[in-house]
Amino acid sequence: MIIRLRNVRKVYKMGAERIHALDGVHLDIEKGEYVAVMGHSGSGKSTLMNMLGCLDRPTSGTYELDGQLTTRMSGGELARVRNRRIGFVFQSFELMPRMTAVKNVELPLVYAPDGWRGRHKMARAALDRVGLADRAHHKPNQMSGGQRQRVAIARALICRPSILLADEPTGNLDSKTSAEILDLFDAIHKDGQTIIMVTHEADVACHAKRIVRMSDGRVVSDLPVEADEVYALASYHSGEGPLEQGVVGQ
Ligand code: ADP
Ligand code: MG
């Protein structure tokens, strides 16, 4: 098991009010899974991702990543786990604006033992894998949204993380570019990478193999994609899924 959450709670205090952003979450994820997290705004998706990414600690409950209990780790240990084991991709890309693509991708390698030549070579290879070999010296404002997200994905994968976390990775992209980014995620998943992705779009979610639905800080449904309603919805829209065939067959 790569991820094991037990009774995880996160309580925010806002004056006298207490907000239960996560309200007793149990979640197990195996190595190599591709999971989509869905739920309406405010249901706790980002809080969950921050927890999984060791950007935040639970108020109570436990989180094991790769068999290690993270909830007892010091700040320094957590930072190391974040750097080595977790790759993040965000809706807004979060690249360093003054740095070229290759410099952005090199950033997580600051602690790597390789010299600068080695790091540069690794970053170039990572850009090549996401189809951006010819954009290595462009800065973010000289690239399209889709290209920026590819740089962010190359950066997220450069340390060969245990898990890739993506919070609405296609939220700022048009549908054609979104499809290209999702194809890239499919390829990364086929290579064995564990992926956990937040989205509220059915046609994005159905790239995953498993759908976890949240509401009011709880997991309210956790099903293989074929058993979740997004599958029916997405295949209905594409006009070739089981729902459509079922309708025709009757
Ligand atoms: P989602 O990503 O599903 O939209 P979030 O995880 O961002 O939801 O938020 C879950 C709940 O926790 C919401 O009610 C939100 O207002 C609250 N919340 C999130 N972050 C904070 C914070 N830093 N301080 C106080 N409340 C927060
Ligand atoms: Mg969110």
Side-chain angles (χ1 to χ4, degrees), residues 12 14 19 21 39-48:
Y12 291 111
M14 299 281 287
I19 297 163
H40 57 74
S41 178
S43 57
K45 305 182 296 295
S46 292
T47 306
L48 176 66

Side-chain angles (χ1 to χ4, degrees), residues 193-233:
Q193 178 68 52
T194 311
I195 303 177
I196 304 157
M197 170 178 74
V198 166
T199 182
H200 56 257
E201 291 172 78
D203 52 344
V204 173
C206 73
H207 280 254
K209 306 289 181 230
R210 172 178 166 194
I211 312 285
V212 169
R213 289 181 179 272
M214 297 196 63
S215 180
D216 292 333
R218 293 179 192 200
V219 173
V220 292
S221 157
D222 184 352
L223 293 168
V225 65
E226 299 85 358
D228 188 277
E229 68 189 45
V230 296
Y231 190 67
L233 260 177

Side-chain angles (χ1 to χ4, degrees), residues 138-158:
H138 284 59
K139 289 184 180 165
N141 66 3
Q142 298 167 325
M143 288 184 282
S144 69
Q147 289 171 336
R148 289 182 211 186
Q149 196 59 302
R150 283 170 190 275
V151 174
I153 292 167
R155 181 182 58 185
L157 296 176
I158 190 93

